Amino acid sequence: MTRWSLRLAPGAAPKTPLQRPPKAKGYRLDLDGLRGFAIALVVVFHVWFGRVSGGVDVFLVLSGFFFTGLLLRRAESAEGVGVVHTARRTARRLLPAMVVVLAAVVVATVLLRPYTQWPDIAAQTLASLLYYQNWHLALSWSDYLAADPSVSPLQHLWSMSIQGQFYLAVLLLVALVAWCCRRWGSPTALRPVLAVTLTVLTVASFAYAEHGVATHQGWNYYDSFARTWELLVGGLIALAAPWISLPRAVRAVLAALGFVAIAACGWLIDGANAFPGPAALLPVGAAVALILAGNNVDADAHPMPNRLLATAPMVRLGELAYALYLWHWPILIFYLGERRTPTAGFVGGSAIILLALALAYLTNRFVEERLRLRPKALETGGPAATSTRRTGVVVLALGTVVLTAAFSAHIVTRVYPPQPVGYLNPAVYPGAEALVRGVSGPHAPMRPSLWEAPADAAYPTRDGCIADWDTRDVITCGYGDSSAERTIAVVGSSHAEHWVPALDVLAREHHFRIATYLKMGCPLTVAAEPTYKGEAIPDCRDWSAEVIDRLGAERPDWVFTTGTRPRDDTGDETPTDYLDVWTQLSKRHLNVIAIRDTPWLRRDGVRYRGTDCLAQRGDRISCGMPRAAALDQTNPETEAAASFSNVFPVDLTNAVCEPQVCPITEGNILIYHDEHHLTASYSRSLAPELGRQLQSILGWW
């Protein structure tokens, strides 16, 4: 008795077997195997190597090939495309497994993750279920270079969103073209018209993706239109497939090269920093090669790589591929979060993969397969139909609960968003003065609270006065005493920005003006190819060049910027690039205040939010960092600045850290609102100490 049949009780009447729908004549089993091979590479590279394998790109090509081919067959049949029927069929194939995984992630989040992360997971759950997760991630420019505990367990669903958006768009496109061809009596024009349309869209999308790699790769990676060309290539192959028949030797070469290229892609290309630009031609071309290698020939005539992909284990892996892709990432992220480690290791990784395979099998067996019973079979009734209906009801109820919970949490956050903290009485909330002057206040609730913390950012962030990742323009704003003649220009990244609240207090008291020149992730640089998180950011280079020239022309009295950065492992340093910037400012006769950067919260190289740690019953010390791990014993910018007569280093470490530890709160004030940015409240509490150190440098009070 096969695993697809139902067991019979003694004396019971025979029941209808629960079987998969039969494969159509000429069905390409090797492409099922290719899908399994591609997703297996995705899983292995995510779990053990922290790299992008190119498997998702192969998967997108296959999705475009299969779905466009389906639409063409329906459009050329008497039934027509059937937009509603096709959309319903596609939703029935994609949504059930997605709903099950999202429900599991929501439950795991409530049980395992701090409540400070629940609003973001709710927003991402909603984005995943409604197929706009890629745009949600693009707007936040999440880092997909590697898994770590700080990454979202739903981040991988960006590709499902792009796939769903493509399905809807190409469904409407094919239906429209087919209707027009029938309307004007030219049904044979369907394929030529679609071929021209898809070719134009493919070229446009590819050019857009190529431009995006060079200008805003973080956004580009998730951009639907930048990814569309990969799916459209599959669609074009489906259009041309009936007329493509290659010699045996050519098919053998294509198959061999395609198989090797897919297997090696993850090692040859840093996909997170290069896809979906021209580098993605390797996995896309490899997928096309394997599709063409088996096109219009019997399975027996397939080249060896295609025959290998058509073997039963590979085909079965292909059937599990979708569910395996859905499950592997959240399991990995929750595992890393619970173990508080950036990597899974061989044993942990093996356990993750085995668990993902087991859950993929169960999802496929008891959800996907049961809901693929055809409508006619449902009408005839029987145990299989009953089982399908029950599964459908359960999945529908589960989806409703997940959607309602995610939507409700998202709406609550939008209606009652966290608010920044206003004035705090220094007698009760001394903040940094508790460290510097030993000022002790009475016991009081921490401010900002865990709920308020995300909103208690520096003023330029709140006011839209810092250029984001995709803004090349120089944005300037003024703070302090706007009528004052003396000016300090605060220049660089968000780590220069978070000193603005402290400087604003001093500027209002001592009558000087603050001018901001700020860009996210972009300290001033003159490097030819600056990077952030390992990713090229040419906008930062061009932005910095313009800012340096403007500073030379506008001539503020002082330039205030960061003078150090954390190393990748422990401690901090003054990068050579900073010295090059100081040289450029010196040539323009500009005086520089170089502030030592504050510690970045991290364990084993993985950043974490102090608010998350506190929400998990941590305290001010356990949620902080050992000072020796965060900072060098001596300020690294001191020696570097000695060579520049115009550069004056300032170090407020002792106003942020105790002798042995850099805590998460001080003087009843939360120090960080995220992994490494000061809260505006704590920044304001730093004003007295910053003023004491600047007094001898500026001589203004």
Side-chain angles (χ1 to χ4, degrees), residues 31-190:
L31 298 187
D32 274 350
L34 176 57
R35 181 163 46 195
F37 180 48
I39 295 305
L41 287 174
V42 170
V43 173
V44 168
F45 272 77
H46 276 166
V47 171
W48 279 318
F49 304 112
R51 291 176 63 91
V52 173
S53 67
V56 168
D57 304 84
V58 173
F59 192 83
L60 292 177
V61 174
L62 290 173
S63 296
F65 176 78
F66 284 128
F67 194 71
T68 306
L70 167 69
L71 294 178
L72 288 171
R73 290 190 295 274
R74 292 189 62 86
E76 293 172 337
S77 70
E79 298 177 349
V81 174
V83 173
V84 175
H85 169 79
T86 303
R88 186 170 58 242
R89 176 183 180 274
T90 303
R92 190 169 67 243
R93 184 169 60 87
L94 296 179
L95 280 174
M98 174 83 79
V99 166
V100 170
V101 173
L102 290 177
V105 168
V106 168
V107 172
T109 297
V110 172
L111 295 177
L112 302 175
R113 287 293 180 101
Y115 62 84
T116 46
Q117 294 184 8
W118 293 1
D120 184 57
I121 296 298
Q124 293 204 36
T125 300
L126 191 63
S128 300
L129 196 57
L130 300 182
Y131 284 84
Y132 64 89
Q133 169 74 327
N134 63 308
W135 294 118
H136 181 90
L137 294 173
L139 290 169
S140 60
W141 201 345
S142 297
D143 180 13
Y144 200 71
L145 293 178
D148 68 54
S150 65
V151 173
S152 163
L154 298 177
Q155 187 166 317
H156 67 312
L157 297 182
W158 65 267
S159 61
M160 297 297 101
S161 294
I162 288 176
Q163 182 179 314
Q165 294 161 25
F166 172 82
Y167 284 169
L168 180 60
V170 79
L171 170 60
L172 296 176
L173 175 63
V174 173
L176 177 62
V177 173
W179 180 84
C180 290
C181 289
R182 282 197 173 96
R183 176 73 173 79
W184 283 285
S186 302
T188 56
L190 174 65

Side-chain angles (χ1 to χ4, degrees), residues 464-545:
C465 291
I466 179 170
D468 60 22
W469 307 108
D470 299 313
T471 300
R472 161 61 184 82
D473 297 337
V474 176
I475 299 173
T476 60
C477 290
Y479 295 93
D481 185 347
S482 59
S483 62
E485 295 182 358
R486 298 176 298 193
T487 302
I488 292 180
V490 179
V491 182
S493 69
S494 55
H495 279 260
E497 178 207 19
H498 67 195
W499 293 97
V500 168
L503 288 167
D504 182 67
V505 172
L506 296 174
R508 293 175 185 276
E509 181 180 353
H510 300 293
H511 307 292
F512 61 90
R513 190 171 69 89
I514 299 169
T516 60
Y517 304 78
L518 301 164
K519 181 172 173 60
M520 293 180 183
C522 182
L524 278 183
T525 181
V526 293
E529 297 181 357
T531 61
Y532 179 73
K533 295 182 179 180
E535 179 181 308
I537 44 173
D539 272 4
C540 181
R541 175 195 61 215
D542 300 336
W543 178 88
S544 295

Side-chain angles (χ1 to χ4, degrees), residues 550-619:
R550 286 184 60 170
L551 291 173
E554 295 171 6
R555 310 210 55 77
D557 296 275
W558 289 87
V559 174
F560 184 102
T561 191
T562 51
T564 65
R565 282 186 65 82
R567 292 195 193 92
D568 290 336
D569 45 10
T570 59
D572 59 340
E573 63 181 352
T574 297
T576 303
D577 190 31
Y578 284 24
L579 306 185
D580 296 336
V581 169
W582 294 351
T583 299
Q584 292 299 316
L585 296 175
S586 177
K587 289 179 179 179
R588 291 163 173 79
H589 307 290
L590 293 169
N591 294 317
V592 179
I593 298 169
I595 189 80
R596 188 179 190 180
D597 203 358
T598 50
W600 294 32
L601 299 177
R602 53 188 176 166
R603 294 191 181 103
D604 298 322
V606 178
R607 294 194 303 272
Y608 65 93
R609 294 191 301 190
T611 51
D612 292 344
C613 180
L614 290 173
Q616 290 181 307
R617 300 182 182 280
D619 58 37

